[in-house]
Amino acid sequence: MSVFTKLLVPAACGALLLSCQSSNSTGKETALADSTAHADSVHFAVFTVDTHVDTPMQMMDSTFDLTETHDAHATGSQVDFPRMKEGGLDAAFFAVYLGQGDRTPEGHAEAKRRALAIFDTIHKAAERHADLAGIAMTADQGEQLVEDGKIAMFIGMENGWPVGNDLSLLKTYYDLGGRYITLSHTSNNDICDSSTDKEGPEYGGLSAFGEEVVKEMNRLGMMVDVSHVSDSTFWDVMALTTAPVIASHSSAYALCDHPRNMKDDMLKRLAENGGVIQVNLLGDYVKKMEQDPARDSAFAALREKYPNFGDLSPEDREKAREEFRALNKAYPKKLPTIADAVDHIDHIVEVAGIDHVGIGADFDGGGGLADCYDVSEYPKLTEELVRRGYSDEDIAKIWGGNLLRVMRAVEQAAEAPSAPTASM
Ligand SMILES: [Zn+2]
């Protein structure tokens, strides 16, 4: 199904478009209402995908129910199925995320064990709610699920730590539905240098093993994700990859000079590669806000107390969440806005073109804007795109068309891909 097929399907959307065109737009308010109605009709019609949600961290807690509506501010949860429906989000890449740990045989074995447990949790959730959602192994399967009225659950792995130094594990994770791997997280690993390792670069880009990882991912049909990696790793990947790559959750360095963000020459190179950068909605990567040292030190102390969320028992995890919520209340964080995030989209469009930008919010992993704090508020982002003059076709590309194009190119570039088996 093309990204526009859905545009033609729902009768309500057609009606909205018609009423939009035929109304007497005399006053400013009517014009605004018309523009909102138009934005909503487009938003709910096009295929929409967020390429990075850390919701599996919530799902690992057995009391978390994806089919319940959660209050984002009260519970900290930013994604569930009812709010995806409310926010018109058709699909998301659920992240198999692990913070970097020991790079020893024991550490790598532990990373593998934990990654497999997260894959299992995602698959079990899809099986449990097969009437509402399914795992998508291919771009086509994602679109088919949405056409069937279901939520498409893609899987991406954040951090190559669970690959350790065993190339064969890539196939293991591919077979479980992993369709991208963010090569590193915030520290260097056996694959490459990270953009934020406190010790600085270790290889000056990809390691020799990392080069093999990129080749094997190309061969299997897994998207190489360059979010989090160092600039030199990015350039090494560009020189090596035979397929387009993604930055699953990154923003523009020109607007927010965090080492995690992508510089203009990188954006241009990504466009030449045919890839896509999915704008991140995590405040620190969107806009530098006024510092609050009291908040920073309070949170630093709490992060030191709970360095690895995944290691906690369910009770301790809830206790930690409670403490984070209390701190957030005591020191409310100043967040950037949708307008700030769309500035990044504008900039990337200017530098790389409309075919190379999308959205990867980092919800449930620190993402969230003042006026788009959870997935239910996504229609407001499309309203801003409409206000800035993006066409329906542009919006379809940003919300999913570009990502699907890249995913298909990666699937096609794969050597003898094994027949995917979806558990829908
Ligand atoms: Zn991340």
Side-chain angles (χ1 to χ4, degrees), residues 143-258:
E143 283 194 313
Q144 186 61 52
L145 281 160
V146 174
E147 207 171 321
D148 295 344
K150 295 183 185 180
I151 283 165
M153 300 172 76
F154 291 102
I155 305 177
M157 177 181 274
E158 181 175 32
N159 195 1
W161 182 43
V163 180
N165 42 36
D166 180 354
L167 214 54
S168 74
L169 285 173
L170 292 169
K171 176 79 163 62
T172 304
Y173 301 138
Y174 175 85
D175 287 343
L176 289 170
R179 287 299 176 267
Y180 73 66
I181 296 180
T182 319
L183 298 180
S184 75
H185 190 236
T186 54
S187 306
N188 304 337
N189 58 22
D190 280 25
I191 297 171
C192 66
D193 290 337
S194 163
S195 59
T196 49
D197 194 297
K198 288 191 187 82
E199 307 292 318
E202 189 173 328
Y203 317 100
L206 286 168
S207 69
F209 174 69
E211 290 178 3
E212 296 308 310
V213 167
V214 170
K215 287 183 201 163
E216 178 67 0
M217 287 176 74
N218 283 167
R219 195 187 69 78
L220 289 168
M222 281 174 118
M223 294 183 284
V224 176
D225 179 11
V226 295
S227 284
H228 282 291
V229 306
S230 72
D231 291 4
S232 49
T233 299
F234 166 84
W235 290 106
D236 279 359
V237 169
M238 284 297 110
L240 195 62
T241 184
T242 53
V245 308
I246 63 166
S248 69
H249 58 305
S250 290
S251 296
Y253 186 87
L255 301 191
C256 182
D257 61 353
H258 192 288

Side-chain angles (χ1 to χ4, degrees), residues 52 54 97 158 182 185 227-228 249 260 280 285 362:
H52 194 88
D54 279 307
Y97 158 71
E158 181 175 32
T182 319
H185 190 236
S227 284
H228 282 291
H249 58 305
R260 249 301 256 107
N280 196 350
Y285 313 139
D362 230 337

Side-chain angles (χ1 to χ4, degrees), residues 37 39 410:
V410 171

Side-chain angles (χ1 to χ4, degrees), residues 193-352:
D193 290 337
S194 163
S195 59
T196 49
D197 194 297
K198 288 191 187 82
E199 307 292 318
E202 189 173 328
Y203 317 100
L206 286 168
S207 69
F209 174 69
E211 290 178 3
E212 296 308 310
V213 167
V214 170
K215 287 183 201 163
E216 178 67 0
M217 287 176 74
N218 283 167
R219 195 187 69 78
L220 289 168
M222 281 174 118
M223 294 183 284
V224 176
D225 179 11
V226 295
S227 284
H228 282 291
V229 306
S230 72
D231 291 4
S232 49
T233 299
F234 166 84
W235 290 106
D236 279 359
V237 169
M238 284 297 110
L240 195 62
T241 184
T242 53
V245 308
I246 63 166
S248 69
H249 58 305
S250 290
S251 296
Y253 186 87
L255 301 191
C256 182
D257 61 353
H258 192 288
R260 249 301 256 107
N261 283 341
M262 291 179 71
K263 302 196 172 99
D264 285 359
D265 56 346
M266 295 162 75
L267 295 173
K268 284 189 184 131
R269 184 66 185 86
L270 185 73
E272 281 168 22
N273 159 267
V276 63
I277 169 174
Q278 307 282 110
V279 168
N280 196 350
L281 307 187
L282 195 148
D284 291 347
Y285 313 139
V286 176
K287 190 180 184 181
K288 289 234 156 88
M289 304 299 281
E290 216 176 286
Q291 293 294 310
D292 181 349
R295 177 189 158 89
D296 290 349
S297 59
F299 270 91
L302 201 55
R303 271 194 295 270
E304 207 160 294
K305 186 172 168 191
Y306 301 110
N308 224 329
F309 229 60
D311 289 343
L312 300 175
S313 67
E315 299 79 44
D316 285 346
R317 211 176 295 153
E318 192 41 49
K319 196 168 151 269
R321 278 208 191 100
E322 194 53 58
E323 288 180 47
F324 273 101
R325 280 196 287 269
L327 266 198
N328 254 325
K329 228 174 180 175
Y331 306 97
K333 187 176 170 72
K334 275 192 152 185
L335 293 170
T337 61
I338 288 173
D340 295 323
V342 176
D343 285 348
H344 283 262
I345 294 179
D346 284 352
H347 180 79
I348 294 164
V349 169
E350 206 178 296
V351 174

Side-chain angles (χ1 to χ4, degrees), residues 7 14 22 31 95 107 113 115 134 137 143 151 177 182 260 277 298 331 358 369 377 379 382 407 413:
L7 199 59
S22 62
R113 187 192 64 73
M137 298 279 201
E143 283 194 313
I151 283 165
T182 319
R260 249 301 256 107
I277 169 174
Y331 306 97
L369 304 167
E377 297 189 272
T382 302
M407 193 168 178

